């Protein structure tokens, strides 16, 4: 399909502004831009059709089953969107007088109150814009904590080899070093290896619980204790909180810091890759180091406290992705005390039920129960019949199912990471299991058959190697003139 | 209690039966039992949709929506064409994940490719990434792009937005890198001080166009000094001003970054906004985050994919230059729809109206004693002295539904955009005279 630029017709435009109503002031010539930017010239109708066509070439949670592991693709409630569109939230300038933004500050304070209660933390900041920035903020809290105590030796962060790639990348951004520890077969921490890894230079540890194989770390209390005894802090990567929200609190497991992905666990949409919110919670002893400003209660309302001499500083402009917090708050209010744990438990039930159905053919990387997700390995099928995780993924696309996460975690070969989430019905899971089974049988019988998938999509498999070798990252008119 | 769970109790029982369990609680056997929250979290009971709507509306009503605003300082009120919300509210765009599965995501990938093209065009540079969090973090990421083993010091002009400076300092503190602030002279970056600060360990220099005080910097001269010193020039750009001011490419910048909020995003108490980043060809492979590229599929049809992923955290892990994953895709789409709706003439018209209205406002304010502090040319913001009591002024204007300029640096930073009518500006002046 054509690009906006290819549909552009010179001098086509819509009138969106009234004529200038003050005397015109001309920009001095020497300051003026020489070449006009190439922007498309289209009617509003052209635009409407263009984006409707693009929408048909996309797939959202509204389009069908989306069991993308580690991404918690739950239903995004309509009421959340409605609340975030209220003029009293979206027409507010971030630097308005405090007395005129009491509703915004109250919303932030309320979201903090609910989420610290659910996570077992004492304070929370919503400034980080995404999970990765939440991690960055969390690790800076660890860095600052040691620095403030004059403990400059502590530079090492322990990370299990099953961790998401952001964990080690974040450690580097904080000028610290990664100590990788190999996981056990079920992705769990090996206590002996952990004991051997901690030392006087341990700054902390980053951990997801349940882990990336969907298993709850049964030794979690020992793990956090070992790190604490060595003088380090323990950071909870909130990617997998959906399994345990309202059931068990990371704060009670011994974690000092947590980041949440409000766009996963708390139902705010992913937007095709953002905006999200990577809220960071911490225990009281780390509160002085939180990014400023901090929302503080006063006798007659709330204020923004900028006087934070020990703060790590500001990690982003203003107060974070505020409207995302509004959406999460609407969700928290809706589910409440009973709904939050019930959602977690249903997610775990759905995952175990779906795993049970798939196990009839597929090999699951772990034994026993899983939490909210599980990992399939196609290693044997690849060896025996050349059927890879990619083949299954691409075949699912033709059956209107979004593929699971592929090739992650790295510790499982030919991984398919499946997270069915609580907002899927039994009928959806039964039907999806039938499709997974059919694809499996067809692929094992005739591996060539799935190789041509997908066929129902606007494009077939793209040449990613060519894309990287000879990058075309934008449209250029001169490249396309006369083409 | 409302929730979004389709399963009925009967179905739950069937599912438990199928997996051979008596209760869901059995699935949590690995959790230390003393930690289980038997009665759930200590938050209020769930509410119906109507109750939630009421509660949230009540919170929103506690905020003041000003009828007219003369405050910018990094976040700007512009006209948002109706088509922008219509497009960006489409459910599939709202609820999709990052476009990892290219075959299922051509719509989102193409929209990002179009966004990248428009940003690169507006900045007069070769390439753009798919966006980062906001203008402040884009600046911090750009500073990291410039660093190498020999050069680790970032210089940042004092005339940049204070929150940008603060954010860059935080990122640099984390990575154990030095930041030095170049002092201002008459509201502009002091180029003599810049020259003095150029040393062999300086990797990148950041200045903002227009700067925090609304003034137009001589970026071309700055870029020359920076390049002579062997460092990279990072320009922070207001994307509306870029429609008429010399582009970063024309000024010789290596990287252009900025706050994309003016491109169709509401003020939203500070977010979500959009960080854009554009670069020369030489710097392209150092851009952080997602980048969409064009390729072909197995039958030769044009296709779009996430590309150059070898830069990114999921491949390079601790060797990655940034940990950024997905970020502000829907905001990038907002900017793309805004730019396409405005077109080249419309965008230029917005910029030209901002310029004229701000200059009209400045003349009217000057006439009632609010002298401009600086002489340099400005775009749509300028700092004045305040000859009256600031609290009284702010209060009086607020009573009439007007948000005054931002109180900063001992003066007032006023902003006018195409949204401010002549009538509004004249009314502002009348009200100001009442306070004086």
């Amino acid at each position: 399909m054509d690009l906006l630029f290819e549909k552009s017709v010179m001098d086509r435009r819509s009138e969106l502004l009234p004529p200038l109503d003050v005397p015109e002031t001309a920009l001095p010539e020497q300051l003026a831009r020489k070449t006009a930017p190439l922007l498309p010239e289209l009617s509003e109708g052209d635009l409407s059709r263009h984006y409707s066509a693009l929408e048909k070439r996309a797939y959202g949670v509204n389009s069908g089953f989306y069991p993308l592991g580690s991404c918690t693709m739950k239903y995004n409630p309509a009421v959340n969107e409605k609340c975030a569109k209220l003029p009293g939230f979206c027409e507010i300038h971030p630097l308005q007088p405090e007395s005129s933004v009491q509703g915004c500050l109250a919303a932030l304070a309320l979201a903090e109150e609910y989420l610290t209660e659910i996570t077992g933390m004492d304070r929370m900041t919503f400034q980080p814009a995404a999970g990765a920035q939440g991690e960055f903020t969390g690790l800076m809290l660890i860095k600052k904590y040691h620095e403030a105590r004059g403990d400059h030796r502590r530079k090492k962060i322990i990370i299990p080899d099953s961790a998401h790639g952001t964990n080690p990348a974040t450690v580097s951004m904080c000028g610290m070093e990664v100590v990788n520890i190999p996981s056990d077969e079920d992705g769990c921490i090996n206590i002996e290896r952990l004991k051997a890894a901690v030392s006087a230079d341990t700054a902390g540890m980053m951990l997801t619980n349940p882990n990336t194989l969907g298993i709850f770390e049964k030794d979690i209390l020992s793990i956090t204790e070992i790190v604490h005894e060595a003088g380090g802090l323990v950071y909870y990567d909130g990617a997998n909180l959906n399994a345990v929200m309202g059931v068990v609190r990371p704060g009670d497991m011994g974690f000092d810091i947590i980041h949440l992905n409000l766009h996963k666990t708390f139902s705010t949409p992913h937007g095709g890759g953002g905006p999200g919110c990577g809220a960071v919670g911490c225990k009281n002893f780390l509160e002085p180091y939180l990014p400023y400003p901090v929302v503080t209660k006063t006798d007659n309302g709330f204020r923004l406290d900028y006087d934070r001499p020990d703060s790590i500083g500001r990690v982003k402009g203003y107060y974070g992705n505020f409207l995302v917090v509004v959406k999460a708050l609407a969700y928290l209010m809706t589910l409440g005390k009973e709904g939050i744990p019930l959602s977690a438990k249903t997610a775990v039930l759905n995952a175990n039920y779906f795993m049970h159905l798939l196990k009839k053919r597929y090999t699951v990387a772990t034994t026993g129960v899983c939490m909210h997700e599980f990992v399939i390995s196609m290693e044997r099928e690849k060896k025996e019949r050349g059927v890879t995780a990619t083949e299954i993924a691409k075949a699912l696309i033709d059956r209107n199912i979004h593929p699971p996460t592929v090739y992650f975690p790295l510790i499982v070969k030919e991984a398919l990471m499946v997270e069915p989430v609580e907002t899927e019905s039994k009928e959806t899971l039964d039907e999806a299991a039938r499709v997974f089974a059919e694809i499996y049988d067809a692929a094992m019988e005739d591996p060539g058959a799935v190789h041509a998938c997908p066929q129902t999509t606007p494009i077939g498999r793209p040449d990613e190697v060519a894309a990287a070798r000879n990058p075309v990252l934008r449209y250029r008119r001169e490249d396309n003139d006369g083409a | 209690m409302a929730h979004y769970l389709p399963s009925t109790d009967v179905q739950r029982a069937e599912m438990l039966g199928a997996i051979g369990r008596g209760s869901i609680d059995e699935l949590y056997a690995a959790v230390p039992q003393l930690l289980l929250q038997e009665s759930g979290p200590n938050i209020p009971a769930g509410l119906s949709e109507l109750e939630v709507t009421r509660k949230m509306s009540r919170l929103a009503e506690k905020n003041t929506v000003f009828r007219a605003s003369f405050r910018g300082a990094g976040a700007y009120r512009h006209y948002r064409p109706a088509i922008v919300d219509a497009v960006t509210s489409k459910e599939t765009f709202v609820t999709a994940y990052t476009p990892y599965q290219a075959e299922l995501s051509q719509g989102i990938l193409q929209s990002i490719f179009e966004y990248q093209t428009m940003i690169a065009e507006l900045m007069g540079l070769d390439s753009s990434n798919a966006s980062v969090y906001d203008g402040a973090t884009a600046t911090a990421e750009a500073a990291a792009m410039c660093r190498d083993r020999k050069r680790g010091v970032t210089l940042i002009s004092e005339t940049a937005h204070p929150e940008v400076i603060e954010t860059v300092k935080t990122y640099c503190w984390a990575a154990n890198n030095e930041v030095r602030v170049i002092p201002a002279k008459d509201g502009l970056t002091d180029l003599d001080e810049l020259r003095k600060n150029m040393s062999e360990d300086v990797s990148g220099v950041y200045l903002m166009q227009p700067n925090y005080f609304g003034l137009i910097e001589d970026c071309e001269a700055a870029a020359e000094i920076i390049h002579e010193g062997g460092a990279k020039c990072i320009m922070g750009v207001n994307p509306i001003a870029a429609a008429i001011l010399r582009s970063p490419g024309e000024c010789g910048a290596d990287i252009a970054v900025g706050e994309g909020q003016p491109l169709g995003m509401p003020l939203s108490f500070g977010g979500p906004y959009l960080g854009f980043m554009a670069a020369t060809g030489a710097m392209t492979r150092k851009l952080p985050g997602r980048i969409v590229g064009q390729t072909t599929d197995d039958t030769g049809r044009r296709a779009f994919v996430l590309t150059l992923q070898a830069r990114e955290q999921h491949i390079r892990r601790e060797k990655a230059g940034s940990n950024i994953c997905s970020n502000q895709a829907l905001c990038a789409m907002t900017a793309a729809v805004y730019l396409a709706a405005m077109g080249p003439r419309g965008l230029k018209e917005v910029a030209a109206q901002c310029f004229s209205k701000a200059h009209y406002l400045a003349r009217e304010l000057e006439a009632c004693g609010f002298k401009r502090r600086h002489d340099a040319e400005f775009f749509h913001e300028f700092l004045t002295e305040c000859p009256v009591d600031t609290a009284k002024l702010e209060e009086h204007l607020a009573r009439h539904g007007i948000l005054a300029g931002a109180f900063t640096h001992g003066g007032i930073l006023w902003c006018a955009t195409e949204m401010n009518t002549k009538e509004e500006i004249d009314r502002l002046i009348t009200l100001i005279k009442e306070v004086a």
Side-chain angles (χ1 to χ4, degrees):
Chain A
M1 119 177 216
D2 281 349
L3 297 166
L4 281 171
F5 314 99
E6 292 161 338
K7 293 176 179 173
S8 175
V9 175
M10 199 190 284
D11 290 339
R12 184 175 285 170
R13 61 185 298 196
S14 351
E15 291 299 333
L16 292 160
L17 299 182
L20 186 64
D21 58 356
V22 299
E24 188 182 343
T25 310
L27 180 74
E29 185 52 35
Q30 73 275 14
L31 301 176
R33 164 171 197 140
K34 306 260 179 295
T35 328
L38 169 70
L39 297 177
E41 298 179 82
L42 297 164
S43 70
E44 187 173 313
D46 295 335
L47 272 180
S48 160
R49 286 198 180 149
H50 180 77
Y51 283 100
S52 292
L54 290 184
E55 190 191 15
K56 282 189 200 135
R57 297 172 153 236
Y59 188 98
V61 174
N62 62 315
S63 311
F65 188 39
Y66 214 130
L68 189 64
S70 186
C71 300
T72 313
M73 300 302 286
K74 61 172 76 177
Y75 173 66
N76 307 127
V79 70
N80 298 359
E81 301 301 310
K82 182 176 162 182
C83 292
K85 287 202 158 99
L86 290 167
F89 289 136
C90 32
E91 300 302 327
I92 304 301
H93 192 284
L95 300 176
Q96 282 186 203
E98 263 167 16
S99 61
S100 72
V101 297
Q102 285 298 306
C104 291
L105 298 180
L108 288 170
L110 202 54
E112 178 179 355
E113 185 187 321
Y114 291 174
L115 290 170
T116 49
E117 168 59 29
I118 288 168
T119 56
M121 294 289 150
D122 297 313
R123 287 308 305 265
M124 190 164 280
T125 174
F126 295 104
Q127 202 173 74
Q133 216 196 8
E135 276 182 28
F136 181 46
T137 304
L139 273 205
M140 282 194 281
L141 294 180
I142 295 181
K143 184 179 170 107
K144 189 81 186 187
Y145 165 78
H146 293 305
E147 231 181 71
R149 298 166 75 247
D151 195 348
H152 299 291
R153 291 164 308 168
R154 296 189 180 270
K155 302 264 184 230
K156 293 190 176 159
I157 298 284
I158 298 169
I159 299 178
D161 59 0
S162 58
H164 196 268
T166 47
N167 288 180
T170 306
V171 173
S172 296
M173 283 177 81
C174 289
M176 297 199 272
E177 286 165 48
V178 176
V179 178
N180 264 307
I181 55 168
S183 314
D184 281 344
E185 267 181 9
D186 53 0
C188 285
I189 299 295
N190 180 304
I191 292 290
E192 294 314 312
R193 283 192 189 126
L194 176 62
K195 279 184 185 159
V198 294
S199 66
D201 54 15
T202 300
M205 177 176 192
M206 299 176 89
L207 199 61
T208 314
N209 191 22
N211 66 28
T212 50
L213 289 185
I215 303 296
F216 192 92
E217 295 277 359
K218 60 183 186 314
D219 297 324
I220 187 62
L221 291 173
S222 312
I223 293 167
T224 53
E225 196 184 325
I226 290 166
V227 179
H228 283 153
E229 276 187 1
L233 301 183
V234 200
Y235 174 87
Y236 184 93
D237 178 330
N240 295 342
L241 185 75
N242 203 47
V244 294
M245 62 171 186
V247 177
V248 54
R249 313 194 308 172
D252 296 341
M253 300 177 205
F255 288 94
D256 306 293
I257 305 164
I258 177 173
H259 96 256
L260 302 175
N261 299 295
L262 298 190
H263 47 285
K264 293 181 180 175
T265 321
F266 297 97
S267 85
T268 78
H270 288 77
C277 173
V280 169
C282 68
K283 294 282 179 70
N284 264 331
F285 72 98
L286 294 169
E287 184 262 359
Y289 313 128
L290 281 174
Y292 64 80
V294 170
V295 179
T296 309
K297 185 127 186 60
T298 63
D299 292 341
N300 47 7
F302 299 93
R303 68 184 188 88
L304 288 162
D305 183 7
Y306 285 85
D307 184 19
R308 311 273 304 170
D310 296 321
S311 166
I312 56 166
R314 170 182 285 292
V315 300
K316 186 185 172 299
Y318 308 115
Y319 329 107
N321 286 339
F322 173 71
L323 294 184
V324 178
V325 182
V326 167
K327 294 178 193 184
L329 179 58
Y331 179 75
L332 287 161
M333 283 180 174
T334 304
L335 267 64
K337 187 182 182 64
E338 313 85 357
I340 291 288
L342 185 60
S343 291
K345 289 176 181 183
T346 308
V348 170
L349 175 62
N350 279 3
N352 278 283
Y353 178 67
F354 197 52
M355 178 172 74
H356 163 77
L357 297 179
L358 295 198
K359 254 185 175 169
K360 290 168 188 164
R361 288 185 175 68
Y362 293 86
T363 306
V364 174
T366 51
T367 54
V369 301
C370 66
M371 290 278 99
H372 64 304
E373 68 188 358
F374 58 91
V375 179
I376 289 169
S377 171
M378 295 296 293
E379 189 181 7
R380 183 173 57 81
E381 291 83 353
K382 183 187 177 186
K383 216 174 281 168
E384 288 173 7
R385 302 286 291 159
V387 178
T388 62
T390 298
E391 302 291 342
I392 300 295
K394 300 299 180 193
L396 284 168
I397 291 176
D398 274 342
R399 305 292 297 269
N400 197 40
I401 291 177
H402 193 287
T405 298
V406 288
Y407 300 100
F408 184 81
L410 305 177
I411 55 171
V412 175
K413 295 210 172 90
E414 293 296 321
L416 285 165
M417 189 187 207
V418 187
E419 182 178 5
V421 305
E422 71 274 16
T423 53
E424 299 298 342
S425 65
K426 179 172 179 295
E427 306 91 89
T428 302
L429 300 179
D430 288 339
E431 172 60 19
R434 203 172 57 73
V435 171
F436 267 80
E438 278 176 22
I439 288 172
Y440 187 92
D441 292 344
M444 291 302 275
E445 196 184 305
D446 175 14
V450 283
H451 203 67
C453 297
Q455 294 183 331
T456 58
T457 45
I459 60 156
R461 296 193 196 182
D463 188 344
E464 295 187 13
V465 176
R469 192 169 292 157
N470 178 27
V472 178
L473 309 179
R474 60 179 288 192
Y475 172 83
R476 281 186 200 268
R477 188 176 274 160
E478 57 272 23
D479 295 349
N480 294 275
D481 273 354
Chain B
M1 170 196 66
H3 57 65
Y4 304 99
L5 308 175
S7 303
T8 63
D9 287 343
V10 173
Q11 286 180 319
R12 261 188 260 271
E14 282 170 15
M15 289 159 79
L16 278 169
I19 61 171
R21 300 281 165 178
S23 74
I24 296 182
D25 292 341
E26 285 179 30
L27 301 173
Y28 287 94
V31 178
Q33 298 297 296
L34 68 143
L35 300 187
L36 288 173
Q37 285 199 293
E38 295 296 350
S39 53
N42 188 20
I43 63 173
L47 301 172
S48 67
E49 183 173 321
L50 176 55
E51 289 167 301
V52 171
T53 308
R54 268 193 201 129
K55 263 185 175 301
M56 294 300 271
S57 300
R58 246 174 248 147
L59 279 176
E61 283 158 14
K62 281 189 190 164
N63 300 317
T64 309
V65 179
F66 288 93
R67 264 203 319 277
S69 166
F70 294 92
R71 192 165 292 193
Y76 302 96
R77 214 186 232 192
H78 287 288
Y79 183 65
R80 303 171 49 247
I83 187 77
V84 173
D85 274 353
V87 167
T88 56
S89 301
K90 288 177 183 292
E91 238 182 326
T92 310
F93 294 148
V94 173
T95 70
Y97 195 72
T98 304
Y100 290 131
Q101 293 289 345
E103 297 92 330
L104 268 185
S105 314
Q106 284 301 295
I108 286 171
L109 289 162
Q110 180 172 332
S111 82
I112 297 172
F113 185 81
E114 291 168 344
Y115 160 84
Q116 288 175 183
T117 303
M118 288 190 255
I119 292 295
E121 280 289 332
L122 200 51
M123 296 300 122
L125 291 169
D126 294 313
S127 59
S128 152
N129 69 5
S131 76
V132 292
Y133 309 132
D134 71 348
T137 54
T139 311
E141 294 280 1
M145 278 171 74
C146 298
R147 288 197 291 262
D148 59 27
R149 271 195 209 121
K150 287 185 189 151
R151 292 174 176 265
V153 178
T154 301
L155 304 185
I156 185 163
S157 170
E158 192 188 357
T159 66
H161 194 293
E163 297 204 357
V164 172
I165 299 177
E166 290 163 20
T167 305
V168 170
K169 282 184 172 170
T170 305
Y171 273 64
C172 288
W173 165 76
N176 304 320
N177 284 298
E178 192 190 336
V179 184
R180 292 205 295 266
V181 177
I182 305 295
K185 193 179 164 193
D186 304 325
L188 294 171
T189 309
D190 186 336
L191 296 182
D192 291 330
E193 284 291 334
L194 171 62
R195 199 172 281 115
K196 268 188 242 163
N197 270 278
M198 290 306 302
S199 51
E200 293 209 329
D201 53 359
V202 172
S203 51
V205 182
Y206 173 83
L207 64 167
M208 199 171 222
Q209 182 75 315
N211 70 24
Y212 180 61
F213 307 114
L215 306 179
I216 299 171
E217 296 267 3
D218 188 350
C219 291
E220 214 173 336
E224 216 165 284
I225 297 168
I226 295 161
H227 289 149
E228 268 168 30
K232 304 286 185 222
C233 172
I234 309 165
M235 257 174 86
V237 179
N238 178 311
I240 299 287
I244 57 171
L245 294 185
R246 302 203 67 180
S247 73
E250 288 168 352
C251 294
D254 300 282
I255 305 171
V257 296
E259 178 50 70
Q261 176 273 330
L263 303 176
M265 274 143 268
L267 290 166
S268 311
F269 196 51
Y273 289 176
L274 165 72
F276 63 82
M277 299 187 79
T280 58
M283 298 294 286
T284 296
R285 281 177 189 266
K286 294 198 162 185
L287 281 168
R290 313 296 191 202
I291 298 178
V292 172
Q294 181 182 307
T295 184
T296 50
D297 77 352
D298 47 6
T299 59
R301 285 175 291 195
R302 175 162 65 187
F304 299 98
V305 292
L306 293 174
T307 193
L308 302 182
Q309 299 197 53
R311 302 163 294 119
E312 292 188 65
Q313 46 76 29
H314 59 285
I315 312 281
R316 281 180 76 78
R317 297 179 78 86
E318 61 262 39
K319 294 192 184 67
S322 167
N323 73 349
I324 196 163
C325 308
S326 305
N327 36 78
Q328 306 291 112
L330 198 60
C331 301
M333 183 182 279
T334 304
V337 181
Y338 175 84
L339 288 169
M342 284 298 172
R345 286 150 205 266
L347 190 70
K348 205 172 163 183
E349 176 70 14
V350 173
Q353 288 208 9
C354 286
F355 191 77
S356 289
K357 296 204 178 204
H359 283 73
Y360 176 72
L361 172 64
R363 286 194 298 271
E364 295 294 309
L365 282 169
E366 185 106 30
C368 53
F370 287 67
K371 282 204 176 358
R372 279 184 61 213
R373 183 164 311 166
H374 311 114
D375 295 330
E377 187 55 273
F378 59 96
F379 175 61
H380 68 349
E381 273 182 293
F382 53 91
L383 187 70
T384 70
E385 307 301 343
C386 183
V388 299
D389 182 73
T390 50
K392 234 169 96 183
L393 177 74
E394 185 169 50
E395 218 182 280
H396 186 62
L397 294 178
R399 247 202 314 277
H400 291 86
I402 296 178
L403 181 62
F407 299 94
T408 181
H409 290 74
I412 307 182
L413 185 61
W414 298 93
C415 175
T417 70
E418 81 282 7
M419 298 293 280
N420 299 107
T421 60
K422 177 171 184 296
E423 197 187 340
E424 259 173 41
I425 297 173
D426 294 345
R427 174 96 179 118
L428 170 80
I429 299 299
T430 307
L431 290 167
I432 284 177
K433 284 179 181 159
E434 288 173 14
V435 181

